[in-house]
Amino acid sequence: MAKIPPGVGPRFPQVVVLFGATGDLAKRKLLPGLFHLSSVGFIPGCRIIGVSLDDIDLEGFRKIARSALDEFSSRKMSDADWDAFAAILDYVPLSAGPAALKAAVEKAEASLGVENRRLHYLSVPPSAALPAVRMLGEAGLVERSRIIMEKPFGTDLASAVVLNSKLHEVFDEEQIFRIDHFLGKEPAQNILAFRFANGLFEPIWNRNFIDHVQIDVPETLGLGKRAGFYEQTGAYRDMVVTHLFQILGFMAMEPPTSLEPAPISEEKNKVFRSMLPIEPHDVVRGQYTGYRAEEGVGPESDTETFIALKCSIDNWRWAGVPFYLRTGKRLGEGQRIISIAFREPPKSMFPAGSGIGSQGPDHLTFDLADASKMSLSFYGKRPGPGMRLDKLSLQFAMRDTGLIGDVLEAYERLILDAMRGDRTLFTTAEGIERLWQVSTPLLDAPPPVRFYAPGSWGPNAIHQLVAPHAWRLPFERAWRSKI
């Protein structure tokens, strides 16, 4: 087993109470993630107590966990690995109530035999979040604990304020970790390293050198069995407030006084405070044809499955620089891209027909997939006589370093950070309420949805939204493969 560097994991053993332990997220991400963190030694001792509506016993839960690891874990598991993991599992059906949960936690803590901490993970629908919080309060499990909340964090400003108020009746804000798995990805954090560790880029990270920014997260997937949830949220509430705005905050924030959770959260919140309200005329809402025929969707549904918008940050660094955000279901390609377009030179001395400017401005592109990639495009001379220019690029991929095996999956990193009390990659109550506040004009008067064909890039109106620029996806050039 590889030696885990000091300070990477939590100081104390952990008792994890996993609400929604038999649900889809738990099977796909949380149980495999907890297995990896515990089996390789990131956590110095762990017990996991599953909680859900399913009326099953411990052996039933172990069967579910084993099936989840077999299907979704990206890492090999020996029989010995499984036996060790199965031994730290326990299960309490929700119907057993707070007393049974308290007894299970006390049993787990006693088995650890040393000072420990509690981590409560609420992998439940929004309607079940507050009942789970109340159950934890009634069970007396608030002390020495932290709680991870899944999105959405409200559906508008009023509901977010109420939700935070109810949460604060049981947990202090310092105990609450509102999760955004996009920020748990290695490339999202690489933005901080790229900006603040390199003297080449921080001086040009402003309105004087950057023309516009695109954050593009198209998805090829449809809704699956999430139609009921999606009808209550839509693409804007589901993706923009909780994911894309958070990425924007990382990309646009001022240098923090240190790379510590509090200074980073404060700089992100400054970005959110500087955002101008999202006006309906700067938004394109779309719905893929066939959505209304899906199970659980009304025949006249106005829910958007696609959203594109222009937003502005009204501060010294970014005044006048448009930020274009786009996401949606059933689109032409699945990507997670930040694309930064630099201003073109003020005057060109190149002859007509040289090709300068013909393929758009220079771009710095971050690919936010799990395997981190970056690309810097620029014009260079084509070999041969005369002055003909082509668009070239410098590219970096994490797989080229030989360290791709060290990359933690997003949920693994975020669970580990919550256990350590590191709030760097989590959203604060102030930040989420401010984002709902700037969203109010759009939520009060949303523009009508426009239909788009599955497999396309959204409604045609998106081209007017971004004009005189163009959307970077689909790319005219593919990422280079490893040679």
Side-chain angles (χ1 to χ4, degrees):
M1 181 185 299
K3 183 176 177 59
I4 304 302
V8 171
R11 289 177 54 201
F12 300 102
Q14 303 286 317
V15 175
V16 179
V17 178
L18 177 56
F19 283 83
T22 60
D24 186 64
L25 177 62
K27 293 175 183 176
R28 289 178 176 272
K29 296 294 184 181
L30 305 181
L31 288 170
L34 288 166
F35 164 74
H36 177 235
L37 294 176
S38 60
S39 64
V40 302
F42 279 106
I43 311 171
C46 184
R47 299 293 184 271
I48 301 167
I49 302 168
V51 182
S52 83
L53 289 169
D54 291 345
D55 189 15
I56 56 176
D57 59 11
L58 175 55
E59 285 308 310
F61 179 50
R62 283 175 173 160
K63 288 180 181 178
I64 291 173
R66 178 59 190 260
S67 176
L69 294 183
D70 287 341
E71 184 174 359
F72 298 113
S73 178
S74 59
R75 299 172 176 92
K76 293 181 179 179
M77 177 179 63
S78 67
D79 289 340
D81 291 335
W82 164 248
D83 290 341
F85 187 67
I88 69 174
L89 298 178
D90 199 357
Y91 184 79
V92 176
L94 198 63
S95 59
L101 180 58
K102 181 179 179 65
V105 171
E106 290 176 343
K107 176 184 174 183
E109 291 178 333
S111 71
L112 288 168
V114 293
E115 184 179 357
N116 55 75
R117 296 290 183 268
R118 303 160 179 165
L119 181 72
H120 309 307
Y121 198 120
L122 271 54
S123 177
V124 296
S127 60
L130 287 178
V133 169
R134 286 192 292 269
M135 183 175 181
L136 291 168
E138 293 168 4
L141 299 176
V142 176
E143 186 181 0
R144 293 184 289 109
S145 74
R146 300 181 176 110
I147 183 169
I148 296 180
M149 305 284 297
E150 277 285 343
K151 69 175 179 77
F153 314 117
T155 56
D156 55 20
L157 177 58
S159 62
V161 170
V162 169
L163 174 61
N164 287 326
S165 176
K166 295 292 185 183
L167 287 173
H168 293 156
E169 290 176 4
V170 181
F171 290 93
D172 294 334
E173 176 64 20
E174 292 71 26
Q175 295 177 281
I176 302 169
F177 290 74
R178 298 168 186 82
I179 197 167
D180 172 17
H181 70 273
F182 272 50
L183 292 188
K185 294 179 179 296
E186 197 78 36
Q189 297 160 73
N190 220 356
I191 296 172
L192 297 181
F194 192 85
R195 280 189 63 186
F196 302 131
N198 297 294
L200 176 62
F201 289 100
E202 178 55 28
I204 62 172
W205 210 266
N206 56 61
R207 64 188 301 271
N208 295 321
F209 298 94
I210 292 177
D211 184 76
H212 65 279
V213 177
Q214 294 181 27
I215 301 175
D216 216 343
V217 187
E219 298 180 288
T220 58
L221 297 175
L223 298 182
K225 298 180 180 179
R226 299 176 68 229
F229 163 78
Y230 212 76
E231 274 291 279
Q232 303 299 317
T233 54
Y236 185 81
R237 290 179 170 93
D238 183 42
M239 290 291 292
V240 176
V241 176
T242 49
H243 292 323
L244 274 65
F245 280 161
Q246 301 302 323
I247 295 172
L248 183 151
F250 251 40
M251 185 268 160
M253 72 182 192
E254 295 295 317
T257 55
S258 65
L259 285 180
E260 297 292 328
I264 289 177
S265 290
E266 173 57 19
E267 295 305 333
K268 276 179 59 186
N269 286 341
K270 284 182 182 178
V271 173
F272 300 151
R273 290 196 291 268
S274 299
M275 286 177 63
L276 295 177
I278 307 300
E279 299 295 343
H281 59 76
D282 287 328
V283 177
V284 175
R285 296 171 70 237
Q287 185 184 98
Y288 64 80
T289 54
Y291 171 76
R292 294 178 180 179
E294 298 200 11
E295 184 179 354
V297 177
E300 297 182 2
S301 172
D302 189 50
T303 302
E304 79 277 358
T305 62
F306 171 97
I307 192 91
L309 62 144
K310 179 173 71 174
C311 59
S312 301
I313 301 172
D314 192 25
N315 63 15
W316 191 272
R317 183 180 291 263
W318 297 113
V321 177
F323 287 74
Y324 299 101
L325 281 56
R326 176 173 65 167
T327 186
K329 302 290 186 184
R330 302 287 299 274
L331 294 176
E333 190 177 342
Q335 289 279 9
R336 293 165 180 161
I337 295 293
I338 300 176
S339 186
I340 299 163
F342 293 102
R343 293 192 182 278
E344 298 189 47
K347 180 174 174 57
S348 175
M349 72 287 293
F350 294 94
S354 65
I356 185 70
S358 62
Q359 298 182 55
D362 300 336
H363 283 86
L364 175 64
T365 304
F366 293 88
D367 185 337
L368 299 184
D370 287 320
S372 180
K373 291 185 285 190
M374 290 179 283
S375 172
L376 179 63
S377 70
F378 56 92
Y379 285 96
K381 182 184 178 299
R382 182 186 300 177
M387 182 58 73
R388 288 285 299 164
L389 303 179
D390 283 332
K391 205 65 176 289
L392 309 173
S393 68
L394 297 172
Q395 295 189 4
F396 161 82
M398 184 64 71
R399 63 174 179 264
D400 296 336
T401 67
L403 299 175
I404 190 67
D406 295 340
V407 174
L408 287 176
E409 292 189 354
Y411 280 99
E412 294 173 353
R413 176 179 297 279
L414 292 169
I415 289 171
L416 202 61
D417 282 354
M419 288 178 172
R420 296 169 54 229
D422 186 338
R423 302 171 59 84
T424 302
L425 304 177
F426 295 86
T427 306
T428 65
E430 177 191 345
I432 202 68
E433 289 178 14
R434 171 58 184 167
L435 291 174
W436 285 121
Q437 184 181 18
V438 301
S439 302
T440 298
L442 171 62
L443 299 179
D444 286 348
V449 294
R450 301 167 184 259
F451 295 106
Y452 64 95
S456 69
W457 288 96
N460 288 333
I462 63 171
H463 302 298
Q464 286 77 49
L465 176 69
V466 78
H469 316 298
W471 292 101
R472 284 277 284 160
L473 286 176
F475 275 141
E476 67 276 9
R477 294 179 310 282
W479 292 96
R480 281 198 292 269
S481 299
K482 185 175 181 180
I483 299 174

